[in-house]
Amino acid sequence: MASTTAPSSSASAIADSPAPALRSRGYWTAALVRFTRDPVAMGAALVVLLLIGLAVLGPWIAPTDPYAASMLKRLKPIGTEGLPLGSDELGRDMLSRLIVGARLSLFIGITPVVCAFVLGSVIGIVAGYAGGITNTAIMRTIDVFYAFPSVLLAIALSGVLGAGVVNSLISLTIVFIPQIARVAESVTTQVRNRDYVEAARASGANPFTIVRVHVLGNVLGPIFVYATSLIAVSMILASGLSFLGLGVKPPEPEWGLMLNTLRTAIYVQPWVAALPGLMIFATSISFNILSDGLRSAMDNKG
């Protein structure tokens, strides 16, 4: 009898035991899954990774020296033997210059946004959390920069600072800080009155701890998504500064500068002259699509 009742008692014990709880996905994991299911965004991400790979490995994978000039080879058409994408006005290989130019073009386009993301986030979070007079003083100062279009402000700052890579980075960073600071202030103002922030404040936590523990995790996502959308704008502005002679100086390979030097050859070799512009266009579109994909993945409430 004992042997017949033991299995039934153990079976009932197993049946009565609670089922293990299923672990739910975290917010960032769910956002990543949604992003990977977007084929358009993934395609843009692959293009961006390819461009970053060109920027990192450009000097080693370029078929020829991008600085080697030859007047005998100037303005060769696309498909010329040894020059698959033709040559520029000084006979330099366009393929090599486009590959190597990815490093400088992406550096000038991405670095100002990264710097503005850090500085603008700090300014906006401080203004949004502090509120009152502090918020008014900071945001009214920020509003002054909105009186000028981004293009004119970047040109004016670069004209005052002078041509060069460093001055271009400084001017573009100053242009983007107010935009990111405004977004950071808006998001922080919404978060600072949430119940969990009020509870932390009532428990005696100091403002720095509240911002670090309870505010940053909820505001950095929207700020980051907005910052990625500015990379495309930064690429265009940086190329525009180089095109106007306020950015990179010759003979450095940079797509905006290459457009400038090839503008006189547009009637001789229009396709060769358009190649740097196509690279700028493809890069800007890829970053825009990537930003839209990130926004859709992070805003999905399902």
Side-chain angles (χ1 to χ4, degrees):
M1 294 294 293
S3 60
T4 57
T5 57
S8 61
S9 61
S10 61
S12 61
I14 294 175
D16 294 337
S17 62
L22 296 176
R23 296 183 60 184
S24 60
R25 289 174 178 171
Y27 171 76
W28 293 106
T29 303
L32 178 61
V33 171
R34 288 192 293 267
F35 180 80
T36 54
R37 291 175 179 173
D38 186 345
V40 178
M42 285 299 296
L46 291 176
V47 174
V48 170
L49 290 177
L50 176 61
L51 292 171
I52 294 175
L54 290 179
V56 174
L57 303 175
W60 293 277
I61 63 177
T64 61
D65 183 2
Y67 300 97
S70 174
M71 298 308 294
L72 297 177
K73 300 179 180 179
R74 63 186 305 268
L75 295 178
K76 293 295 183 179
I78 296 175
T80 301
E81 183 178 358
L83 299 169
L85 293 182
S87 60
D88 65 2
E89 75 286 352
L90 295 179
R92 296 170 294 193
D93 181 21
M94 282 295 295
L95 177 60
S96 299
R97 290 184 65 79
L98 289 173
I99 292 176
V100 177
R103 170 178 294 187
L104 197 53
S105 299
L106 289 179
F107 177 76
I108 299 177
I110 296 176
T111 302
V113 177
V114 174
C115 295
F117 172 76
V118 175
L119 298 176
S121 297
V122 172
I123 295 172
I125 291 173
V126 169
Y129 184 80
I133 298 177
T134 303
N135 181 289
T136 302
I138 293 176
M139 298 314 297
R140 295 300 77 78
T141 303
I142 292 297
D143 288 342
V144 173
F145 291 89
Y146 282 93
F148 306 95
S150 299
V151 177
L152 294 181
L153 184 58
I155 293 174
L157 291 173
S158 296
V160 172
L161 296 174
V165 175
V166 176
N167 292 337
S168 295
L169 295 177
I170 294 174
S171 61
L172 291 176
T173 300
I174 294 174
V175 168
F176 294 127
I177 284 178
Q179 303 178 34
I180 295 179
R182 178 177 284 275
V183 174
E185 185 271 340
S186 176
V187 178
T188 305
T189 301
Q190 299 174 12
V191 171
R192 69 173 181 150
N193 294 322
R194 298 286 175 84
D195 292 339
Y196 54 84
V197 176
E198 294 292 344
R201 191 179 294 115
S203 66
N206 60 66
F208 177 77
T209 301
I210 295 175
V211 171
R212 180 175 58 86
V213 177
H214 300 285
V215 176
L216 280 181
N218 294 282
V219 302
L220 285 183
I223 301 173
F224 174 76
V225 171
Y226 179 75
T228 57
S229 68
L230 293 179
I231 295 179
V233 180
S234 181
M235 290 286 303
I236 295 174
L237 290 180
S239 300
L241 292 178
S242 297
F243 182 85
L244 296 173
L246 297 173
V248 180
K249 299 179 180 179
E252 295 297 328
E254 195 272 336
W255 296 337
L257 180 61
M258 293 169 66
L259 273 178
N260 182 24
T261 57
L262 283 167
R263 72 184 189 279
T264 57
I266 192 171
Y267 298 108
V268 180
Q269 291 293 347
W271 292 110
V272 174
L275 288 175
L278 292 176
M279 293 296 294
I280 296 171
F281 174 78
T283 305
S284 302
I285 289 295
S286 299
F287 275 109
N288 267 332
I289 296 175
L290 178 62
S291 175
D292 290 341
L294 288 174
R295 182 181 296 107
S296 299
M298 297 177 68
D299 288 347
N300 193 316
K301 303 299 182 182

